[in-house]
Amino acid sequence: MDRLNSIEAELKDTPDKQISLTDPDARSMATSVRGSGMVGYNVQTTIDTKHHLIVAHEVTNVGHDRYQLANMAEQAKSAISTTELNVVADRGYFSSQEILKSVSLLLYPSQ
């Protein structure tokens, strides 16, 4: 009971109210089954469809993709040194702010 009480106290001090006893950096990831999840990591990748190569990747412990679109688009654009980029993503990436950032990034590249 002492161990469980210690874990409970530690859990209350965590900002996201999660503790993984096997991997401290892992977090709960959403799955397609309601009310379920898996503890792990979220891997983001961007692909050059012309050459069929991964051009950028990032591993996060955020359980959703909503705030990754602009970041990954910028990484892809930089990796392939282009001024034009077509971005395609599934609905998990939907965030109006991220879409606006992505459009801005693509229309008004930094000099």
Side-chain angles (χ1 to χ4, degrees), residues 8-23:
E8 182 180 25
E10 186 180 343
L11 180 63
K12 288 179 182 176
D13 292 337
T14 62
D16 59 357
K17 305 298 182 227
Q18 295 186 38
I19 295 176
S20 172
L21 299 177
T22 57
D23 185 346

Side-chain angles (χ1 to χ4, degrees), residues 38-50:
M38 177 188 309
V39 176
Y41 295 90
N42 189 350
V43 177
Q44 305 293 315
T45 58
T46 58
I47 309 297
D48 175 346
T49 57
K50 180 178 178 184

Side-chain angles (χ1 to χ4, degrees), residues 50-70:
K50 180 178 178 184
H51 299 100
H52 306 284
L53 295 171
I54 295 172
V55 295
H57 70 280
E58 189 166 310
V59 179
T60 73
N61 63 3
V62 177
H64 57 78
D65 300 326
R66 274 188 296 279
Y67 305 113
Q68 294 295 324
L69 186 64

Side-chain angles (χ1 to χ4, degrees), residues 93-106:
Y93 288 85
F94 182 80
S95 160
S96 55
Q97 292 94 354
E98 285 292 302
I99 292 169
L100 288 173
K101 276 195 241 177
S102 297
V103 169
S104 178
L105 168 75
L106 299 174

